[in-house]
Amino acid sequence: MLTAQPIDSRPPMTRTPTARSSAKPAAPRAWQRMLSGRRLDLLDPSPLDIEIGDIAHGLARVARWNGQTLGEHIFSVAQHSLLVERIAGRIAPGADARSRLAVLLHDAPEYVIGDMISPFKAVLGGDYKTVENRLMAAIHLRFGLPAERSPEITKLLKRADSCAAFLEATRLAGFALEEARKIFGRPDGAPADADLTPWPAEVAAARFLERFHALAG
């Protein structure tokens, strides 16, 4: 049985106002704590908060192709980066160590933001690219490279990256040869003897670090 509620007959000015909170909602957290202890701000990354050990550890645990690859282990971004740097060395044997270091680090921001496949990047649009570019600039500055890649390195990287993607697509990710050629182009410069057996994360991280130190000096 419903009971009638009493009506407040007081004039509006004498009624007790409803309490309202004046506190503003807290801003969403935009930083990540790294195993090194660094706290990296994604919106305003500082080169001082970037450590190569964190990059190697993270990239060795980020899967290429969203993990849709053959093998006992994921094919990691760390292993992909080593493959791309090797192909770049075949395409441009005269490239100096700094240029090859820039190639090795071309996907380094993914230690924080992950490896998003190209179709999904297209859906997200410019916001993703803005964050990625800021991280890339901070990483370059941290390791003594120009904030932006030169057109020559960008051209070399694009060719080597496409070759690596072709090999990965056809040997690991289930693409037919013709399909891969349409998407990634012809794999000119790709080493026919490349071993794409996915490595355990610890191996991928160690080999990435070893190559980094060889190039960085």
Side-chain angles (χ1 to χ4, degrees), residues 6-7 12 24 62 97 119 126 137 167 172 177 187 194 205 216:
I7 299 176
K24 295 181 180 180
V62 175
L167 292 178
L172 295 172
L177 288 174

Side-chain angles (χ1 to χ4, degrees), residues 40 50-52 54-66 75-85 99-118 121 128-129 131-140 143 145 149 153-154 157-158 160-165 168 184 208 212:
L40 183 63
I50 291 168
E51 298 291 346
I52 191 59
D54 292 331
I55 292 175
H57 180 90
L59 295 186
R61 288 160 176 78
V62 175
R64 289 274 291 170
W65 308 95
N66 273 351
F75 190 80
S76 70
V77 174
Q79 189 170 353
H80 162 79
S81 299
L82 287 163
L83 176 61
V84 174
E85 191 266 326
S99 298
R100 294 184 67 162
L101 180 60
V103 172
L104 180 70
L105 295 172
H106 76 281
D107 278 339
E110 294 177 6
Y111 89 107
V112 181
I113 57 179
D115 180 29
M116 293 191 180
I117 58 175
S118 296
K121 287 182 182 180
Y128 176 90
K129 202 65 183 175
V131 173
E132 184 180 43
N133 287 342
R134 286 174 181 168
L135 285 166
M136 190 78 264
I139 290 166
H140 271 208
F143 301 119
L145 298 171
R149 285 188 290 261
I153 295 176
T154 298
L157 170 59
K158 185 175 181 180
D161 202 15
S162 294
C163 288
E168 295 167 18
F184 307 109
F208 183 92
F212 169 85

Side-chain angles (χ1 to χ4, degrees), residues 21-46:
S21 173
S22 60
K24 295 181 180 180
R29 178 170 66 90
W31 54 266
Q32 180 176 345
R33 176 79 64 184
M34 301 298 170
L35 288 180
S36 65
R38 298 289 188 181
R39 192 173 80 169
L40 183 63
D41 187 333
L42 301 185
L43 300 181
D44 186 21
S46 167

